[in-house]
Amino acid sequence: MSASPDSTHAALFGDENTLSTEAHRGATPSVSSDASENDTARCSHIASVFADPSAKAGIINKYRTVVAWYARRTHDALHPAKRRKTSSPTCNTCNQTLSRPFVCLHCSFAGCWFEGHIAAHLTEAGHRFSADAKSGFVFCSECDDFIYDDTIDELYLSTVVSVEERNTNFSVANRGREPYQPWNPTEEESDVLKDATTLPCQGRRGLLNLGQTCFLNVILQSFIHNPLLRNYFLSDRHNSRLCKHSDCTCCEMDNLFTEIYSPTDTPFGPTSFLATTWKVSAEMSGYAQQDAHEFFIAALNQIHGTCRGNTNISCNCIIHQTFAGQFQSDVTCEKCGNVTSTIDPMLDISLELRAKSGEAATDNTLASCLRRYTKPEKLGAREYSCSKCTKASHEAVKRLSIRTLPPVLSFQFKRFEHKTSGKAAPQKIDAPIRIPVSINMAPYTTLAMNMIGKDGEEGIPGPNAMYEYDLFAVINHEGQMDNGHYTNFARFQDEWYRFDDDKVTPSTLGDCLASNAYMCFYVKRHLDYKPYMKPTYRVAREKDIVREQAMEREKEAARMKEVEDTLMAMV
């Protein structure tokens, strides 16, 4: 049973006189005022339309409707069968089905982009603007280009978030997802911001090679461009001048971010970081070339060990907040169906470049590596003993999945094979690997795998935004195992750069994706949070303030007692 094309068209595009208000039902998202309408870099045509309140309201309502329709269509993933009941819109010119419709923002016309029908309609009808339902990008026919406008950009984000909030199926205390509230500075915060001085900073600074330390430089660059670590250390959550730890790696990170985000653009030598690493990690000391992944794990452990809030159970340090997730291993006995589950912590994911046969795969992608990683495998006769039938049996299947996704995903591709009884000498696997600029991790999660129906159809719990990650850094290894060199690519804002020790050169996303990756890092597009709860950093800060006030009172009481004792002695 499918919906009629007319109903789909009306739900998406409305008509010329009536526009759907369901897109912004509930909490009305804020839309920028005309503060930026005098911006010379702004499209003059959108500025002139927004100068007329009536025309502005019409464009905004239509844009909301289009974006909300696509967001609902994309995020209605809990019951995939519903998608088949909604027919796709068609081009009003060629009647071709549109998987990615472009919609006129002045009327109900929808057209295809590659055949030029939407552009032709704008020209013939004298209309100015159309919108891509998928990305929200707005095309101006008079500029003959896609345009950026901060009002449109804010409207797109607020509409998508509003739809996601209504489509999130998880609840806490019988309440749905907590509505997003933008930050509005208080009077006190506004006064502080007025007096603040903006310092010029590059955020892109090369690191000197201190003698085969390229392995250290690339990992530090991945830390520098990690948005969660950056925000943590630049917000003074760890102050090296107040820290009482010796050989503190967190202090080294604090100093590193201070140097990188300073007005200086000359290369920086991380000598203190290297010295501290040698002191606390004997396996990393010396001038021999080290493996970047091994240093990455060692650095995470060192930062964890010296970070505020670190514990052995439910650690709340910045490393676990950023990188920590959970694996789930399910072993199913094929005789009785008993499932034994084991949960293990994870800080990164190491992926094989070789297929099960032992040969290097010819068409390696990040997705294919993840599919091999989570593919069910038969266990040997002596590898499993069912606790229910209490008999050893080879009829068991083991499946690995990701139970909890971390905010930042770190992938390592196993390129180095060390000498074993079956191999005469260590070797490097130079097989190419294709990585995407963004990835949806839903198919590899425990929730999604458990929701596979009897007909093999997969379901994804919750909105796609919970699983989408964007690439921000890639580490490459050039050469062989004994004489190689590490370089890396990293994203700074929306620009890509290549880092080769002290040399920093502008690059492109294409060059980054074409490189042969050894490690790659993805950050979650929308960070999770615990709803209806005060953030832990605010709770910790309030406790610190109470403790500091108590200490001040104790000092004041001690000082007053000393004064009283002095006066009594004089009497």
Side-chain angles (χ1 to χ4, degrees):
M1 177 181 179
S2 66
S4 67
D6 291 341
S7 63
T8 300
H9 193 280
L12 172 54
F13 313 115
D15 55 43
E16 298 183 29
N17 299 317
T18 59
L19 294 171
S20 170
T21 58
E22 194 233 339
H24 43 94
R25 186 174 53 204
T28 302
S30 63
V31 179
S32 297
S33 64
D34 297 337
S36 63
E37 293 189 7
N38 294 324
D39 187 352
T40 56
R42 191 185 196 196
C43 169
S44 59
H45 310 110
I46 196 75
S48 64
V49 170
F50 280 3
D52 180 358
S54 176
K56 179 179 180 179
I59 292 291
I60 284 179
N61 287 338
K62 183 61 175 290
Y63 183 83
R64 271 200 188 107
T65 303
V66 171
V67 171
W69 174 86
Y70 193 88
R72 287 194 303 273
R73 181 183 179 88
T74 304
H75 293 93
D76 188 18
L78 184 60
H79 305 290
K82 288 186 178 180
R83 293 183 185 176
R84 293 196 297 267
K85 297 178 182 178
T86 305
S87 62
S88 297
T90 57
C91 175
N92 286 58
T93 301
C94 64
N95 291 324
Q96 183 179 357
T97 300
L98 299 174
S99 60
R100 185 172 181 170
F102 276 75
V103 185
C104 178
L105 294 181
H106 303 269
C107 68
S108 59
F109 184 91
C112 47
W113 174 258
F114 291 107
E115 297 297 331
H117 295 149
I118 183 64
H121 163 77
L122 295 178
T123 303
E124 294 168 3
H127 294 164
R128 285 179 173 177
F129 307 110
S130 66
D132 176 5
K134 180 178 181 180
S135 66
F137 293 161
V138 173
F139 178 81
C140 174
S141 61
E142 297 196 31
C143 295
D144 194 26
D145 201 356
F146 288 93
I147 60 173
Y148 172 81
D149 184 86
D150 53 359
T151 301
I152 293 293
D153 188 55
E154 183 179 347
L155 183 62
Y156 173 78
L157 292 174
S158 62
T159 303
V160 170
V161 168
S162 177
V163 171
E164 289 174 359
E165 288 172 352
R166 292 196 302 273
N167 280 270
T168 301
N169 298 285
F170 306 129
S171 63
V172 176
N174 295 323
R175 289 185 290 180
R177 175 168 162 174
E178 183 178 1
Y180 169 75
Q181 297 292 335
W183 174 67
N184 294 312
T186 62
E187 258 184 59
E188 183 180 353
E189 290 169 336
S190 298
D191 292 339
V192 172
L193 291 174
K194 286 178 184 177
D195 298 332
T197 304
T198 303
L199 296 176
C201 59
Q202 296 291 326
R204 311 177 298 276
R205 193 173 176 186
L207 300 175
L208 295 173
N209 193 316
L210 306 175
Q212 299 198 77
T213 59
C214 55
F215 71 92
L216 177 139
N217 290 346
V218 293
I219 295 300
L220 294 188
Q221 291 289 4
S222 75
F223 287 164
I224 291 165
H225 292 87
N226 185 320
L228 276 74
L229 295 181
R230 177 198 63 204
N231 294 348
Y232 180 86
F233 286 101
L234 289 184
S235 60
D236 207 30
R237 300 288 298 282
H238 185 99
N239 192 315
S240 58
R241 289 171 294 181
L242 301 177
C243 181
K244 294 180 170 52
H245 288 289
S246 59
D247 301 327
C248 177
T249 308
C250 266
C251 289
E252 298 299 337
M253 289 289 290
D254 182 55
N255 295 332
L256 175 68
F257 275 95
T258 301
E259 288 289 344
I260 296 299
Y261 283 88
S262 68
T264 307
D265 58 359
T266 56
F268 170 65
T271 52
S272 180
F273 203 116
L274 179 64
T276 300
T277 300
W278 284 4
K279 291 178 183 177
V280 297
S281 295
E283 68 276 8
M284 289 286 134
S285 61
Y287 288 99
Q289 176 67 279
Q290 303 287 348
D291 179 67
H293 179 255
E294 290 180 4
F295 172 70
F296 171 71
I297 297 299
L300 295 188
N301 288 329
Q302 292 166 21
I303 298 171
H304 157 75
T306 56
C307 183
R308 170 193 284 180
N310 76 86
T311 59
N312 292 328
I313 301 175
S314 300
C315 182
N316 197 35
C317 75
I318 184 57
I319 293 302
H320 282 83
Q321 288 183 43
T322 303
F323 294 100
Q326 289 180 321
F327 289 124
Q328 179 165 319
S329 174
D330 295 318
V331 180
T332 305
C333 177
E334 294 194 337
K335 281 191 173 182
C336 64
N338 180 50
V339 179
T340 304
S341 298
T342 306
I343 299 173
D344 295 305
M346 62 171 270
L347 289 176
D348 72 327
I349 302 176
S350 295
L351 300 172
E352 295 282 355
L353 291 176
R354 293 191 183 277
K356 296 293 183 183
S357 61
E359 297 295 327
T362 55
D363 187 25
N364 266 323
T365 64
L366 177 56
S368 66
C369 290
L370 283 168
R371 284 194 295 270
R372 286 199 299 269
Y373 191 76
T374 56
K375 184 179 180 180
E377 60 177 331
K378 290 276 188 179
L379 295 182
R382 299 185 178 181
E383 293 183 80
Y384 172 71
S385 178
C386 180
S387 58
K388 189 174 182 180
C389 24
T390 64
K391 292 181 180 180
S393 171
H394 67 281
E395 295 179 349
V397 176
K398 179 181 178 181
R399 187 193 67 187
L400 193 63
S401 58
I402 303 174
R403 179 183 176 90
T404 305
L405 286 166
V408 172
L409 275 170
S410 167
F411 295 105
Q412 179 227 4
F413 300 105
K414 296 182 179 180
R415 293 195 174 276
F416 304 127
E417 292 185 331
H418 298 281
K419 185 176 180 181
T420 62
S421 57
K423 296 182 178 67
Q427 58 180 334
K428 178 186 174 185
I429 303 174
D430 275 320
I433 178 79
R434 289 187 290 119
I435 59 175
V437 65
S438 60
I439 186 170
N440 188 306
M441 292 295 294
Y444 318 108
T445 60
T446 307
L447 277 173
M449 289 184 177
N450 290 340
M451 292 185 68
I452 297 177
K454 293 181 180 179
D455 57 353
E457 185 176 23
E458 295 185 13
I460 302 173
N464 279 339
M466 296 172 59
Y467 308 100
E468 291 171 346
Y469 287 78
D470 295 316
L471 182 71
F472 71 87
V474 173
I475 292 175
N476 314 105
H477 182 269
E478 303 164 2
Q480 296 305 310
M481 291 185 65
D482 54 350
N483 60 355
H485 179 62
Y486 288 103
T487 60
N488 75 285
F489 291 87
R491 188 183 73 201
F492 179 76
Q493 296 177 352
D494 290 328
E495 298 176 339
W496 285 89
Y497 293 86
R498 184 176 185 268
F499 295 83
D500 184 355
D501 289 333
D502 58 317
K503 295 182 284 295
V504 182
T505 54
S507 187
T508 64
L509 173 61
D511 289 340
C512 174
L513 298 181
S515 66
N516 223 8
Y518 173 53
M519 296 179 68
C520 56
F521 301 86
Y522 290 81
V523 63
K524 218 169 194 179
R525 190 173 299 169
H526 301 285
L527 296 181
D528 298 333
Y529 59 91
K530 292 182 178 179
Y532 307 105
M533 292 181 65
K534 187 178 292 186
T536 54
Y537 73 90
R538 287 180 56 187
V539 174
R541 182 57 187 152
E542 290 172 1
K543 289 181 178 178
D544 288 344
I545 292 173
V546 171
R547 186 167 58 251
E548 289 167 4
Q549 290 174 344
M551 292 175 63
E552 288 295 328
R553 288 193 295 269
E554 290 176 3
K555 288 181 181 178
E556 182 65 19
R559 191 182 68 81
M560 292 301 297
K561 187 175 186 308
E562 184 178 348
V563 171
E564 291 176 0
D565 291 344
T566 303
L567 290 174
M568 291 297 295
M570 293 175 62
V571 172

